[in-house]
């Protein structure tokens, strides 16, 4: 009995060891190839082409297939996925007997890898599912996915459904005979087409994965995706699926959203999104979409009050979209289709869409707009924007734009400050043109134009219209009203029938053409009656600066015609200007002109200014001033660099007293000045001045000339008993020259009833120093009688022009005051005798008015 019990115990122990060793072996080493082949055969019967690297037995979970690879084709060339482990529900007895044995399989916390390039398998981009848990029941006619869960790029995916098996799995003689047949040869072309379809499908998956990587989900509200699948495993392209996507707060490419909910369906190889609800802090987006992968066409309809602009900017990374900032998201409605197989281009848009945009308070490129709205439609080359409206604090802009196969056509009405569009202007010339205008709160603006062009490039557009402006400025010069017709050809702007009004008058112009490419302005038949500084300043502000010295009491009549170079002064200084225009003016009223620091009053000025390249010619200038007349011609050359000048000036019967009072404090100057002068030089400064000329003063007092005033004192010391009007000159004249900063005259002459004065000398125009010599000849005295004093009447002037010092040049030092008195008496008697020879005794002259008149006639017409 004991021996039998002992034997049983030993046999049990050996059996336990054998079982334990077997369990360890199958757990650690796995089943043999035969078992794995039988398992893979079971998969094949159910339409699943798989390989198993190792097969183990788990005491708790049963049979475990590790490192399972599932393929698209029986030849195991196209890998579908790799699964780290699968628990198999198999009846080993039925498996060994060859009957159906696989009842189910289960996956727990497995890692699934799906290559997105079927030819590169493990080396290309891959789709990875983490923590895959699934249970699948193997029914005789279908496979039922009870539930499959995994994490894909942070998204919790749940899948359930049924997949019908490709036919009966029961073995039959016909089936066995079919299995023994050689597999049909796969045609290379068929295989390539199949690979292409598969590759395209997986590229779509890769695109989805790329977008999924941009999402940042909240840990508290992880997104979920539930999918229900149905279909026939023999025809996977017609697989049907329906899903539901939900998520709490998330960020996409930096853009925040509050929630999203989508219901979708995959059927007949089309993705249909029945409902998409997206919420952010601004509003909601409601949309429906349908996508055909074979045609790569997305159909959609949407209505959004969310920050769709920000979402699109984040999704497509479009810099142009980032240039617009909405204070509140716009309301957008749109429906249509979009082709996803091509890049977006304005010349050939992959769209067939219609919709509208409504927005308020937005900014772009530093410009704030109060509102914007438009309706739109697009289809390939056709783009239609209608009822476009932009509101700004200065007014509104309405527009319509159509682009089709015939090009671009548009029309617009602007009642707002056009200079706000400077940041959006692509043409540099147009930007410069807008820079010349300025408007204020009192400005009135109405611009209506329409046009066309071959493309969306504004440089190719041609447009016509009308302009009506009030209370604005052009180049800083005010305009009260402006009306004209316009025509734009790219950079060339033409204005016809122009009328410009100001408070003092108006200007009309038949043609005014701005070429903003070459920065030139052409004027034709422009004339009117306004202040010249404004008339020229509207078109040539640089040239207008030269007219600031003219101050007209009333605006003159003027005309201007020709070509004006509108480039900035800095550019003109570096090159030859393209000016070629003429400006003429005529006024019946007075004007003032600043000359040498003093303001001269001009009456009825008129003249013509011709400007060509860097030269200015003033011709036919005439005006009245200081009781007389002035005529002049002026030539200025190289005005933007070292200026050269030639001035021819004529004065006639100018009141010498008024002229002297204008430029000095001397108040006793008399007479009238006439003369001709020519000035020339190159550069600013008296040292560059050269001049020649002659001048005549009639009916003046010689000693009223400021430099000669002090000369009367030494003359009267020599001739103390001269008559009081001895210095009244019938005529004084001189020829002069200016050179080396000095004024020279060698032929100064003055004739009075008593004497004739001749002189010569110079004045330093820098130091104002006088160096002059004057000699007097007594008129009417016999030569022998005058001889003793002739040499004494030569005087030297020195010192400053304003306070000169005159002295008798040849006066002997020993001559006493008594001698001078006696010499003066002799001279006086000689003069009296000379007068009596002509007019009779002195007592008779005092009592005889007739004789006094004869004396005056003789004084006015004396003989030498």
């Amino acid at each position: 009995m004991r021996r039998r019990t002992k034997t049983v115990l030993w046999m049990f122990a050996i059996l336990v060891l054998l079982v334990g060793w077997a369990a360890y072996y199958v757990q650690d080493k796995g089943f043999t190839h035969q078992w794995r082949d039988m398992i893979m055969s079971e998969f094949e019967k159910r339409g699943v082409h798989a390989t198993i690297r190792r097969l183990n037995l788990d005491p708790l979970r049963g049979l475990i297939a590790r490192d399972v690879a599932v393929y698209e084709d029986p030849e195991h060339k196209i890998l579908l996925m790799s699964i780290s482990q699968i628990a198999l529900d198999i009846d080993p007895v039925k498996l060994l007997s060859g009957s159906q044995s696989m009842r189910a399989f289960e996956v727990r916390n497995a890692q699934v890898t799906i290559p997105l390039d079927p030819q590169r398998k493990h080396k290309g981009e891959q789709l990875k599912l983490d923590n895959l848990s699934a249970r699948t029941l193997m029914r005789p006619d279908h496979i039922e996915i009870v539930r499959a869960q995994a994490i894909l790029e942070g998204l919790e995916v749940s899948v359930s459904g049924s997949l019908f098996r490709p036919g009966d799995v029961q073995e039959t003689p016909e089936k066995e005979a079919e299995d023994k047949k050689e597999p049909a040869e796969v045609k290379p072309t068929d295989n390539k087409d199949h690979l292409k379809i598969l590759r395209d499908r997986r590229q779509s998956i890769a695109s989805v994965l790329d977008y999924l990587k941009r999402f940042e989900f909240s840990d508290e509200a992880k997104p979920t995706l539930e999918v229900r699948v149905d279909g026939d495993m023999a025809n996977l392209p017609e697989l049907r699926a329906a899903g539901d996507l939900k998520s709490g707060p998330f960020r996409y490419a930096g853009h925040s959203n509050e929630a999203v909910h989508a219901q979708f369906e995959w059927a007949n190889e089309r993705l249909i999104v029945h409902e998409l609800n997206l919420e952010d802090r601004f509003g909601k987006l409601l949309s429906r979409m349908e996508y055909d992968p074979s045609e790569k066409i997305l159909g959609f309809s949407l209505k959004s009050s969310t920050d769709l602009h920000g979402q699109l900017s984040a999704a497509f990374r479009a810099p142009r979209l980032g240039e617009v900032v909405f204070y509140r998201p716009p309301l957008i409605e749109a429906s249509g289709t979009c082709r996803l197989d091509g890049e977006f281009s304005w010349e050939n848009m992959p769209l067939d869409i219609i919709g509208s945009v409504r927005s308020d308070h937005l900014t772009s490129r530093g410009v704030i707009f109060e509102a914007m709205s438009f309706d739109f439609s697009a289809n390939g080359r056709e783009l239609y924007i209608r009822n476009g409206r932009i509101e700004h604090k200065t007014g509104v802009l309405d527009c319509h734009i159509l682009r089709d196969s015939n090009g671009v056509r548009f029309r617009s009405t602007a009642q707002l400050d056009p200079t706000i569009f400077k940041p959006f202007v692509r043409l540099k010339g147009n930007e410069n043109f807008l820079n010349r205008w300025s408007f204020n709160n009192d400005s009135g603006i109405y611009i209506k134009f329409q046009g066309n062009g071959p493309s969306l490039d504004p440089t190719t557009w041609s447009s016509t219209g009308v302009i009506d402006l009030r209370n604005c400025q052009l180049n800083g010069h005010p305009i009260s009203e402006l009306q004209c017709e316009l025509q734009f050809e790219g950079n060339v702007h033409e204005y016809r029938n122009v009328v410009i009004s100001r408070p003092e008058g108006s200007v009309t112009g038949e043609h005014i053409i701005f070429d903003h490419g070459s920065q030139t302005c052409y004027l034709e038949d422009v004339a009117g009656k306004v202040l010249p500084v404004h008339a020229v300043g509207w078109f040539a502000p640089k040239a207008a600066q030269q007219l600031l010295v003219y101050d007209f009491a009333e605006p003159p009549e003027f005309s201007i015609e020709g070509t004006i170079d509108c480039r900035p002064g800095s550019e003109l200084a570096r090159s030859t200007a393209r000016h070629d225009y003429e400006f003429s003016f005529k006024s019946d009223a007075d004007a003032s002109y600043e000359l040498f620091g003093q303001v001269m009053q001009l009456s009825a000025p008129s003249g013509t200014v011709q400007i060509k390249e860097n030269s200015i010619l003033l011709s036919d200038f005439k005006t009245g001033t200081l009781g007389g007349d002035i005529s002049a011609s002026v030539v200025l050359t190289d005005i933007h660099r070292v200026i050269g000048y030639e001035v021819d000036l004529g004065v006639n019967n100018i009141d010498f007293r008024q002229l002297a009072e204008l430029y000095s404090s001397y108040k006793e100057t008399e007479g009238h000045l006439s003369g001709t002068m020519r000035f020339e030089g190159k550069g600013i400064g008296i040292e560059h001045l050269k001049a020649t000329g002659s001048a005549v003063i009639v009916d003046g007092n010689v000693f009223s000339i400021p430099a000669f005033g002090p000369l009367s004192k030494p003359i009267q010391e020599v001739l103390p008993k001269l008559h009081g009007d001895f210095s009244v000159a019938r005529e004084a004249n001189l020829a002069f020259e200016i050179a080396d900063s000095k004024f020279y005259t060698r032929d100064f002459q003055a004739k009075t009833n008593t004497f004739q004065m001749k002189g010569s000398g110079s004045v330093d125009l820098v130091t104002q120093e006088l160096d002059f010599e004057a000699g007097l000849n007594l008129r009417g005295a016999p030569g022998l009688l005058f001889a003793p004093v002739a040499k004494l009447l030569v005087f030297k002037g020195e010192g400053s022009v304003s306070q000169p010092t005159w002295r008798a040049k040849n006066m002997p030092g020993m001559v006493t005051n008594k001698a001078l008195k006696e010499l003066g008496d002799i001279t006086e008697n000689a003069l009296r005798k000379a007068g009596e020879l002509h007019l009779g005794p002195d007592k008779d002259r005092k009592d005889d008015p007739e004789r006094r008149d004869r004396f005056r006639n003789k004084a006015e017409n004396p003989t030498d």
Side-chain angles (χ1 to χ4, degrees), residues 747-768:
D747 187 21
F748 175 79
Q749 297 185 31
K751 297 178 182 179
T752 75
N753 295 329
T754 306
F755 64 85
Q756 178 179 3
M757 184 172 70
K758 294 184 178 180
S760 64
S762 65
V763 175
D764 191 315
L765 298 177
V766 177
T767 64
Q768 298 293 303

Side-chain angles (χ1 to χ4, degrees), residues 113-416:
T113 303
I114 301 175
L116 298 180
D117 189 340
Q119 290 185 320
R120 300 186 65 183
K121 297 184 179 180
H122 302 288
K123 297 182 181 180
E125 188 177 0
Q126 297 175 335
L127 169 63
K128 293 183 178 180
L129 297 176
D130 297 324
N131 300 327
L132 174 63
S133 297
R135 179 169 178 78
T136 302
L137 302 179
M138 310 297 290
R139 304 298 186 188
D141 57 349
H142 69 279
I143 298 175
E144 183 176 348
I145 303 173
V146 178
R147 187 171 184 83
Q149 293 179 318
I151 297 177
L152 173 63
E153 299 292 347
L155 177 65
E156 294 185 357
V157 182
S158 175
V159 180
S160 62
S162 298
L163 299 175
F164 291 95
R165 294 170 53 191
D168 192 356
V169 299
Q170 297 294 332
E171 294 293 339
T172 62
E174 293 80 3
K175 175 66 175 174
E176 293 178 358
E178 185 72 23
D179 291 341
K180 292 179 181 180
K181 289 183 179 181
E182 293 293 332
E185 182 180 357
V186 178
K187 295 181 180 180
T189 55
D190 294 342
N191 188 44
K192 289 181 180 180
D193 293 341
H194 183 73
L195 285 174
K196 183 179 183 304
I197 295 173
L198 190 61
R199 186 181 296 110
D200 292 343
R201 188 180 304 160
R202 293 183 175 183
Q203 286 177 352
S204 299
I205 296 175
S207 299
V208 173
L209 287 178
D210 182 60
Y211 279 107
L212 282 176
K213 291 177 182 178
R214 302 181 189 180
F215 285 87
E216 300 176 32
F217 298 104
S218 171
D219 294 333
E220 292 77 16
K222 289 186 176 296
T224 60
L225 173 62
E226 295 184 0
V227 181
R228 171 77 184 180
V229 296
D230 293 288
D232 191 340
M233 295 184 63
N235 191 8
L236 289 178
E238 296 186 2
L239 184 71
R240 298 181 302 277
D244 191 275
L245 173 66
K246 294 180 181 180
S247 177
F250 67 93
R251 292 174 60 85
Y252 176 73
H255 186 80
S256 299
N257 293 273
E258 301 296 328
V260 65
H261 179 210
Q263 293 181 344
F264 63 89
E265 176 184 2
W266 175 272
N268 299 321
E269 296 193 63
R270 289 176 179 267
L271 175 64
I272 302 173
V273 180
H274 296 287
E275 182 181 356
L276 172 62
N277 296 333
L278 179 66
E279 297 181 21
D280 64 8
R281 61 190 182 92
F282 299 105
K284 294 183 178 181
L285 180 146
L286 303 176
S287 179
R288 184 182 184 280
M289 293 181 285
E290 183 174 341
Y291 177 59
D292 184 350
S294 62
E295 300 292 337
K296 297 189 182 302
I297 295 178
L298 174 67
F300 64 93
S301 64
L302 64 87
K303 181 177 182 180
S304 172
S305 60
T306 63
D307 185 10
L308 184 60
H309 168 264
Q311 294 166 358
L312 293 175
S313 300
F316 296 103
R317 302 173 183 175
R320 289 291 179 88
L321 290 175
E323 292 182 353
V324 182
V325 177
F326 294 92
Y327 293 93
R328 286 192 295 271
L331 177 62
I332 301 175
E333 296 186 26
S335 61
T337 60
C338 176
R339 297 191 309 275
L340 303 182
D341 57 348
E343 295 184 358
F344 182 88
S345 169
W346 288 108
E347 298 300 326
N348 188 16
M349 295 176 292
L351 299 171
D352 185 359
I353 185 175
I354 186 171
S356 63
V357 177
R358 303 286 185 271
S359 174
D360 56 2
H361 293 92
L362 66 148
T363 180
S364 180
R365 301 187 183 183
V367 182
I368 299 176
F369 298 98
E370 295 182 349
M372 177 189 70
S373 62
F374 60 90
D375 302 322
F376 65 91
S377 62
N379 182 7
R381 282 192 54 83
E382 294 186 1
L383 172 64
Y384 186 23
I385 297 177
R386 59 187 182 277
N387 302 324
R389 185 177 180 85
I390 295 177
E391 298 181 14
H392 186 261
K393 65 179 181 180
T394 61
V396 298
L397 169 71
D398 297 303
C399 65
H400 303 268
I401 301 175
L402 172 64
R403 197 281 302 275
D404 56 17
S405 59
N406 296 320
V408 175
R409 297 183 294 280
F410 58 89
R411 67 177 184 271
S412 178
T413 302
Q415 295 176 278
L416 77 175

Side-chain angles (χ1 to χ4, degrees), residues 411-425:
R411 67 177 184 271
S412 178
T413 302
Q415 295 176 278
L416 77 175
D417 184 349
T419 62
I420 64 174
F421 294 106
K422 287 188 292 186
F424 307 95
V425 174

